[in-house]
Every structure is written in structure tokens, then in C-alpha cells.
């Protein structure tokens, strides 16, 4: 469930019914895109990347708790040029999927393998910011698993903050 404040009554009722918290996602927002120069140029995904990217995403994320897009949505994002890739030795090592919605953008997924480009995730997010300033996008938002300390740290480095909205994922054991 999504809430600004976690309802003690609801949580207790769900716990009593056999549900446990699997993950908590916090919504992150950034209203401060700064004009940057980026020498790192990510690859913009093409239609030939869709199936390998979908496979990669299914390996990198928990299919139960993470908010992954389906084949149709991924294809649409690729067609609009809204998927950035880190590629090393012809293999997808990182990706950032986003949607532009008027003057704001929504980060749908962001991941980078640890053994890829040094600081690859940070470079990918920086390249995304550089692209957003060129497109006159003024803000962005997304969801991050609050237990993912490294992702939270990189988001904060780029000026993101939590707005208090949480998505609490619960499931029966």
C-alpha cells in the first residue's frame, strides 16, 4: 500500500492476517537540475536491445517487490529513446529507463552492475541529468528501495530527497 504515514492499524491487521513487510520504497524528487557537462555518453537503446534488457532486468531485480515494466512498456520506452544503457564488451551492464511527462521526468528503473564501468551508476545518472537539462526538464521523481543504501547515496549526491510518500510491499510468508 502507498501512504504518507504508515497506518499502525492497517499494518497490525495485515500482520495478524499473516502478511510481512517485504520492502519499503520511498519516493524521491529532484527539482534542481543543474546545467552540467558530461563526457560520458551512454548508449540509447534500440529495438534489438529490448529482449536482452528485459532478461537483464529480470535478473537484476526482485520480480515480486520491484516495479518492473513489461515487454510492451519497455518497447514503447525504447521507441521514444527513453532508455539509456551502459554497455561493456557488447553486454548490457547498466540501464536507466525514464518517461518524460511535460516538464518532469519519471525514473522507471536504474541499475548498474558493480563490475562495470567504475562508478557506472553514478555516470549513468549524471548523463541522464545532462540530457534532462538539454530537454528543459525541470524536475524528476522515482521510487527507491530505502534499504538500498548505495542507490540512496547516489540519488542524494545528485540532489534528490524523499518527499515522505512510501510504497510498502507486504506478502504472506
Amino acid at each position: 500500500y502507498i501512504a504518507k504515514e504508515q497506518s499502525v492499524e492497517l499494518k497490525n491487521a495485515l500482520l495478524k492476517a499473516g502478511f510481512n513487510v517485504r520492502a519499503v520504497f520511498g519516493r524521491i524528487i529532484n527539482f534542481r537540475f543543474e546545467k552540467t557537462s558530461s563526457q560520458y555518453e551512454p548508449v540509447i537503446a534500440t529495438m534489438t536491445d529490448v529482449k536482452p534488457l528485459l532478461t537483464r532486468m529480470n535478473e537484476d531485480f526482485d520480480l515480486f517487490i520491484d516495479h518492473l515494466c513489461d515487454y510492451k512498456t519497455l518497447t514503447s520506452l525504447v521507441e521514444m529513446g527513453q532508455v539509456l544503457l551502459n554497455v561493456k564488451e557488447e553486454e548490457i551492464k547498466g540501464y536507466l529507463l525514464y518517461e518524460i511527462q511535460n516538464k518532469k521526468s519519471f525514473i522507471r528503473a536504474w541499475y548498474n552492475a558493480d563490475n562495470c564501468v567504475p562508478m557506472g551508476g553514478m555516470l549513468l545518472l549524471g548523463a541522464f541529468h545532462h540530457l534532462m537539462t538539454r530537454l528543459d526538464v525541470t524536475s524528476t521523481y522515482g521510487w527507491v528501495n530505502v534499504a538500498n543504501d548505495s542507490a540512496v547515496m547516489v540519488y542524494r549526491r545528485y540532489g534528490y530527497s524523499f518527499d515522505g510518500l512510501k510504497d510498502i510491499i507486504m506478502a504472506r510468508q
Side-chain angles (χ1 to χ4, degrees), residues 42-67:
V43 174
I44 296 175
T46 65
M47 293 307 292
T48 59
D49 296 313
V50 171
K51 285 186 180 177
L53 179 55
L54 201 54
T55 299
R56 181 70 205 229
M57 289 170 60
N58 289 331
E59 294 168 357
D60 296 333
F61 288 99
D62 183 322
L63 298 178
F64 182 76
I65 65 170
D66 290 306
H67 303 275

Side-chain angles (χ1 to χ4, degrees), residues 106-168:
F106 168 49
I107 297 175
R108 295 200 52 131
W110 171 52
Y111 175 84
N112 205 81
D114 292 334
N115 60 351
C116 185
V117 180
M119 299 189 327
M122 188 172 261
L123 289 172
L124 195 55
L125 191 60
F128 165 74
H129 275 238
H130 181 68
L131 177 61
M132 293 302 102
T133 59
R134 289 194 338 233
L135 297 174
D136 291 326
V137 171
T138 57
S139 66
T140 192
Y141 70 101
W143 294 87
V144 62
N145 187 327
V146 298
N148 186 341
D149 293 333
S150 59
V152 170
M153 178 194 69
V154 174
Y155 275 123
R156 287 185 193 264
R157 159 70 177 80
Y158 278 97
Y160 290 80
S161 59
F162 288 102
D163 72 350
L165 197 59
K166 293 184 175 141
D167 186 3
I168 298 127

